[in-house]
Structure formats: C-alpha cells, structure tokens
Amino acid sequence: MTTPVSLKVGDKALEMPVKSGTIGPSVVDIGKLYAQTGMFTYDPGFTSTASCESKITYIDGDEGVLLYRGYPIEQLAEHGDFLETCYLLLYGELPTPAQRADFNYRVTRHTMVHEQMMRFFQGFRRDAHPMSVMVASVGALSAFYHDSIDIADENQRMIASMRMIAKFPTLAAMAYKYSIGQPFVYPQNDLDYTSNFLRMCFAVPCEEYKVNKVLSRALDRIFILHADHEQNASTSTVRLAGSSGANPFACIAAGVACLWGPAHGGANEAALKMLQEIGSVDRIPHYIARAKDKNDSFRLMGFGHRVYKNYDPRAKIMQKTAHEVLNELGIKDDPLLDIAIELERIALHDEYFIEKKLYPNVDFYSGITLKAMGFPTSMFTALFALARTVGWIAQWKEMIEDPGQKIGRPRQLYTGNARRDYIPGNMR
Ligand code: SDX
C-alpha cells in the first residue's frame, strides 16, 4: 500500500489513501473528501483527474508511448490487423488462431443491417453530414435489436458488442453512398473486415470491384491506430452515458456525437481544410503567426494534445502510411503533403510550439491519406468513429462489469444568485 496523502483543512489533518497502478501516475482517492471537509475538488477539463480504473489502454504522454493491453501500438500496427486488435481490446489477450477464426465468423455474421434501415436513411437530406447520419443511425440500432439491450445479461452485452463492431462499417458506407446518390452495397462475407468496408464504399453495380490490397492494409492500420485512447472525451461520454444503464447503442451514439467536435475527432476533417486554406508553403508563416496570436482563435488543427507532450506515436505511423498510399496511387507530389511536412518542420523548430510542447497528433496526416484513397473530407471523422467503436465498447463493457460501478454524477462550484424571492411581473 502506498503512503497516504495528508491534507490539512483548518485545524484538521486528513489522510487520503493513494492507489498505484501497474505503470503510470498513482491516484489520490478523494472519495471521502466531501464527507470529511464539506468541499469538492475542482478540475474542469479533468486535467488532473482519473475518472476510473482501467486495464485497456495506457498512454505515456511525455514519452509518446501508447499501449493496448500492454502491447505497443507500433508493433500492433506493424504485425497485426484491426480485427485482432478488436479481440485484444475486448478480451485482454491476443487471440489464438482458433479464437481468431471464431471472432472473425461472429463479426462477419453481423455485418448486415435490418432492411428497414434503408428507409430510415431516406429521411435524410442527401447533403447531410455523414456524422449526423451516424449519430442517428447508430442510436436507431436500439430500435431494431431489442434482443441485445439488456446490459445485465452478459450474452446480450457480447451480441450488442459484435453488432456494433460489425454494423458500423456498413452504416458508414451507407452514409457515404447516400450522400453521393449511389445505391447501397451489401457486405460480402468472403472479404476481410476492411476490404469489405472499402468495397461497400466504392463498388458500383455496373462493374466488378477489385480491392487494392495496399490501400486495404493501409486503412486497416489506420483503424488500429484509432481503436482506443484511454479516457478521451468521447470515451468518457460513452462511460458516463453507460453509467445510467442506457443501452449500448445509445451510449455509442453519444460517443459518436462527442467525437464529431473539431477539438477531438473532427480535427482530421479540420486539419485537411486548414492545409487547403493555407494553400501553399509560402503562406505557412502567416498561419503559424495566427496560431500563436492570443487574439486569434485560429489553431493549428492536428497539432497539440491534452496528454501527449511529445510526438503522438500514431502520427509517425500515419505519416509513413501517407507516403505508402500516395506511392501506391502514383501521386508523386501532393501539394497538401508538402505543406503538411513543411508546416510540421517549421512548427517543431518554433519556440512557441516547443515551449507549449505542441506536436502533430493522429489527425495531422490522416486526412491526406484518406483523401488520396477517395474519401470526401466529410467522411474522415466517420472513419475515426468506425475504428473507435471497439474502444468505446471495450471501455463500456469494463465499466458495466465493474462490481463497484455507479452512476457518474459530478458536482460543481456554484457562483450564481443566492436564494431570492419571486417578484410579480408588474413590480419588476
Ligand atoms: C484527438 O484525448 C484524446 O486522446 C483525443 C485523441 C483520441 O485518440 O481520442 O487523441 C484524438 O482528439 C486528438 C486532438 C485533435 N484536436 C486537434 O488537433 C485540435 C487542435 N488542438 C487543440 O485544440 C488542442 O491542442 C487540444 C484540444 C487537442 C488539447 O487542448 P488542451 O489540452 O486543452 O490544451 P490547451 O488548449 O490548454 O492548450 C495549451 C496551450 C494553450 O496556450 P496557453 O493558453 O497556455 O497560452 O497550447 C496552445 C493553447 O492556446 N495550443 C495551441 C494548439 N493547441 C494548444 N496553439 C496553437 N495550435 C494548436 N493546435
């Protein structure tokens, strides 16, 4: 047991237990603080607050380390594939060949959506943002799958998990097809997970679609990089929604909504738009100056991170993947990639970015790669959400299966009016 922390409040000296994890910062258990002092802690943005105990993902922001169940992201991205990562995040161990075959079979058998979902899509405008369609259609799954929303039933939790992981790509592809007025493409069970998704997005009835294995492998690796990331904003949203007992589809829909924000998962779309707005390498200094100007709300999208105060390990792999995809597609010089590389070079030598420890994050290079693959900018965050679904599900399951789990209900520092009496309208 680690030495408790003492807190002096007035003439009282309180001892608070300290809990240590496997690696990383210990935590001070302040659960009894209010009862003992009548005071709350105050930490908007949770910069120094651990909301839960977890065994799933670990980040060392200073060293630029990311581990899924203890395995370094670089090794999983290099040697594994996305469905293997899904199994690892859900079950805690890498699958044996037999476990892997069974998991593949279970996911593959859930890739179709209820046929009436097609009519559900007809209600959207064609130009609806894919993330608005994803928030709605993922939430709507609870209207179609009543047999897997009893969260107290372990079997139903696992079926709902399989359905979410399996159906998200189908719904995301439908959102894309609907936005471009092309017919939906059904999943094809003899394709691997990511090849199936590419085919549902880019196949047309008039000709045979041939999966480009290099692109499929690159996108599968991108999904691995985005699969989970500790208690980020959208994962915390899923946990908080799940703590009330809401059904898993509704919780994941809440996560999709939160991820959409440009400060979070929406940054990949915003980063590409920023590179397009910069337009040429000679305009970079102007935008760097804007990013440093306190009176200008402009920020370098795809830069900075709450936890990483070093290079985001995912960004390095993303940059390598961008080159791989552009080479495969014969795109010799992508002006946006040139701008991104020069912007990164300048920023990493600029005192402001060095002092504030601002490095490229996972969103900085992903847009260039996804755009080269043929995805419209509006689909970038939907692809992030597709990959993050397994992380949300794994974290939701961990919370639900925690015997000590209770509803999340933060308190506040109230600075509004003290009690006052009502004044009738004619006397105001
Ligand atoms: C993701 O949490 C996760 O793990 C998220 C994620 C995941 O996998 O789930 O990693 C995915 O969301 C990555 C982040 C994507 N967002 C962006 O790229 C948007 C641009 N980045 C910023 O909005 C910002 O860096 C955040 C939101 C990512 C982090 O913000 P913090 O931790 O609240 O830091 P901050 O806003 O307090 O910034 C610290 C300082 C500030 O200056 P001061 O007020 O101290 O003078 O750094 C400055 C900021 O102004 N700063 C930037 C900047 N990011 C921070 N200045 C210019 N450009 C930036 N991008």
Side-chain angles (χ1 to χ4, degrees):
M1 195 64 177
T2 317
T3 315
V5 160
S6 302
L7 178 68
K8 200 154 168 23
V9 179
D11 54 1
K12 272 202 275 185
L14 306 175
E15 294 238 316
M16 271 166 276
V18 171
K19 288 180 164 179
S20 295
T22 320
I23 42 179
S26 298
V27 297
V28 179
D29 182 343
I30 56 162
K32 294 191 170 48
L33 180 76
Y34 178 55
Q36 291 175 346
T37 67
M39 286 196 288
F40 301 137
T41 58
Y42 184 67
D43 183 17
F46 312 116
T47 49
S48 305
T49 296
S51 61
C52 64
E53 178 181 330
S54 181
K55 301 180 187 322
I56 299 172
T57 295
Y58 175 73
I59 301 170
D60 181 332
D62 295 329
E63 298 302 318
V65 168
L66 170 57
L67 308 177
Y68 287 167
R69 300 285 190 179
Y71 293 99
I73 191 69
E74 296 83 356
Q75 295 179 20
L76 292 169
E78 181 70 29
H79 304 298
D81 63 47
F82 180 63
L83 269 198
E84 177 189 71
T85 292
C86 289
Y87 186 97
L88 173 66
L89 289 170
L90 285 170
Y91 292 100
E93 297 298 334
L94 291 168
T96 62
Q99 289 166 333
R100 175 59 201 270
D102 170 62
F103 187 71
N104 269 28
Y105 178 82
R106 285 189 287 138
V107 171
T108 305
R109 285 297 165 294
H110 283 294
T111 48
M112 280 176 69
V113 293
H114 193 290
E115 196 66 4
Q116 272 179 237
M117 280 299 260
M118 313 283 183
R119 295 195 4 227
F120 181 81
F121 271 70
Q122 303 307 332
F124 292 107
R125 285 173 45 142
R126 289 281 179 183
D127 61 353
H129 192 289
M131 284 299 277
S132 61
V133 176
M134 294 314 294
V135 172
S137 51
V138 167
L141 288 176
S142 40
F144 289 93
Y145 298 105
H146 301 286
D147 63 338
S148 64
I149 53 176
D150 173 5
I151 60 168
D153 178 333
E154 185 184 5
N155 187 42
Q156 289 195 34
R157 285 202 300 271
M158 194 36 87
I159 292 175
S161 304
M162 289 296 109
R163 280 177 164 150
M164 257 331 326
I165 293 164
K167 295 182 194 306
F168 205 107
T170 308
L171 292 173
M174 288 169 71
Y176 172 55
K177 283 302 201 187
Y178 187 73
S179 72
I180 57 175
Q182 286 188 0
F184 298 136
V185 175
Y186 286 96
Q188 198 166 301
N189 290 349
D190 59 354
L191 292 174
D192 66 70
Y193 187 86
T194 303
S195 299
N196 200 10
F197 174 65
L198 282 172
R199 182 177 170 281
M200 289 191 284
C201 288
F202 298 120
V204 287
C206 348
E207 57 193 35
E208 196 54 36
Y209 178 77
K210 197 165 167 8
V211 176
N212 178 317
K213 287 294 174 205
V214 173
L215 299 189
S216 177
R217 174 75 193 116
L219 186 57
D220 195 78
R221 187 186 309 135
I222 291 171
F223 289 163
I224 291 172
L225 299 179
H226 288 81
D228 194 49
H229 215 238
E230 283 192 5
Q231 306 312 316
N232 59 82
S234 53
T235 298
S236 301
T237 300
V238 170
R239 277 182 173 259
L240 198 54
S243 74
S244 75
N247 77 70
F249 302 111
C251 296
I252 301 304
V256 175
C258 177
L259 187 77
W260 193 0
H264 190 13
N268 52 17
E269 177 176 352
L272 192 89
K273 285 181 177 164
M274 175 190 73
L275 293 173
Q276 288 168 329
E277 183 187 333
I278 293 174
S280 63
V281 167
D282 61 329
R283 284 158 51 92
I284 290 175
H286 167 69
Y287 282 88
I288 293 268
R290 283 192 59 193
K292 291 155 62 171
D293 178 356
K294 278 278 153 266
N295 302 317
D296 189 332
S297 62
F298 174 80
R299 287 195 164 178
L300 284 187
M301 302 315 280
F303 260 79
H305 199 277
R306 170 62 57 77
V307 177
Y308 288 122
K309 301 309 172 192
N310 195 326
Y311 221 99
D312 181 336
R314 303 169 296 175
K316 285 182 183 159
I317 303 168
M318 279 306 312
Q319 191 192 56
K320 186 169 142 283
T321 303
H323 285 292
E324 199 180 289
V325 166
L326 294 175
N327 288 340
E328 170 65 16
L329 295 170
I331 301 172
K332 290 285 167 275
D333 47 10
D334 178 342
L336 293 180
L337 182 61
D338 297 342
I339 295 169
I341 290 171
E342 181 60 8
L343 177 58
E344 176 187 349
R345 187 189 67 76
I346 296 174
L348 294 186
H349 288 84
D350 183 289
E351 204 35 56
Y352 174 92
F353 292 89
I354 294 168
E355 183 248 325
K356 294 185 189 297
K357 298 184 178 177
L358 301 173
Y359 292 84
N361 58 48
V362 68
D363 294 306
F364 188 59
Y365 284 103
S366 53
I368 292 165
T369 311
L370 298 175
K371 176 176 175 287
M373 286 183 172
F375 292 104
T377 313
S378 61
M379 274 296 288
F380 293 176
T381 310
L383 298 177
F384 189 153
L386 186 163
R388 185 54 57 88
T389 294
V390 64
W392 289 329
I393 285 279
Q395 299 270 354
W396 167 80
K397 257 172 97 287
E398 183 177 66
M399 177 205 60
I400 292 289
E401 290 162 5
D402 173 357
Q405 187 265 328
K406 53 173 73 172
I407 189 167
R409 205 292 187 198
R411 302 304 300 271
Q412 64 178 13
L413 173 67
Y414 178 69
T415 54
N417 293 99
R419 186 190 181 289
R420 53 183 174 163
D421 292 327
Y422 180 79
I423 302 165
N426 58 0
M427 294 172 66
R428 288 174 203 157

